[in-house]
Structure formats: C-alpha cells, structure tokens
Amino acid sequence: MYVVLVYDVRKKRVQRVMKICRKYLNHLQNSVFEGNITDAKLTSLKNEIKASIDVKSDSVCIFKLDSTKYVSKEQIGIIPLYEHII
C-alpha cells in the first residue's frame, strides 16, 4: 500500500519521530513522508510512533491508498533526492 505520513510534534520529539519515519518511508519535506509499505511494516511504524509521541500534544496523520492508480503527484520547485530506506 502507498502512504503519506504527516506529523506535527513538539520540538523535542521531532528528531526522534523523523528518525523512525526514515526507517520506513521516503522523506519528502520537513514533516512529510511517503512511500510503499507493507501492512506489517505500517503496524511497526505506528507502534514506534505511538511510543515516541505525546498523544495529548502531538499529531501524526497517515493517509493510506490501496493503489496509486487514482493518485497523481505534481511537484512545483525542487525535487528532493530520497535517502536510502533501511
């Protein structure tokens, strides 16, 4: 499945959440990640994030698409190079 993950977390947790997301997805912009992921890896990603954030003050949104058939992406400006996913 293809996902887009967006987060808004307190400054002291940004690096930790970013590191977790980079293990599973491509870093697109400051707090935006995207990529193909299995159900099992998505579950692991969500569990790691839940253990790292404060649900009373932080927010993480995951948009899941079963297929990229109906999705198109338009990029305006620079196109970032994806880092290697572990």
Side-chain angles (χ1 to χ4, degrees), residues 8-13 53-60:
D8 184 12
V9 299
R10 300 288 175 160
K11 193 179 233 182
K12 63 183 180 180
R13 289 183 287 277
I53 67 169
D54 179 354
V55 296
K56 294 180 181 175
S57 62
D58 298 331
S59 174
V60 177

Side-chain angles (χ1 to χ4, degrees), residues 7 9-22:
Y7 64 84
V9 299
R10 300 288 175 160
K11 193 179 233 182
K12 63 183 180 180
R13 289 183 287 277
V14 168
Q15 291 300 319
R16 187 176 348 147
V17 172
M18 182 182 290
K19 186 176 179 180
I20 293 167
C21 292
R22 281 184 172 160

Side-chain angles (χ1 to χ4, degrees), residues 33-84:
F33 289 80
E34 69 174 356
N36 289 305
I37 192 168
T38 64
D39 287 330
K41 286 188 178 184
L42 181 58
T43 298
S44 296
L45 170 62
K46 291 193 294 188
N47 288 337
E48 286 186 53
I49 288 174
K50 286 176 188 175
S52 299
I53 67 169
D54 179 354
V55 296
K56 294 180 181 175
S57 62
D58 298 331
S59 174
V60 177
C61 295
I62 301 172
F63 300 91
K64 297 187 284 187
L65 300 123
D66 293 327
S67 168
T68 56
K69 181 178 179 179
Y70 301 108
V71 176
S72 64
K73 177 180 166 183
E74 182 177 346
Q75 182 82 29
I76 299 173
I78 64 168
I79 299 173
L81 297 175
Y82 293 126
E83 296 181 18
H84 178 67

Side-chain angles (χ1 to χ4, degrees), residues 21-36:
C21 292
R22 281 184 172 160
K23 288 176 17 183
Y24 298 95
L25 300 168
N26 298 313
H27 190 195
L28 187 59
Q29 291 183 350
N30 290 337
S31 60
V32 180
F33 289 80
E34 69 174 356
N36 289 305

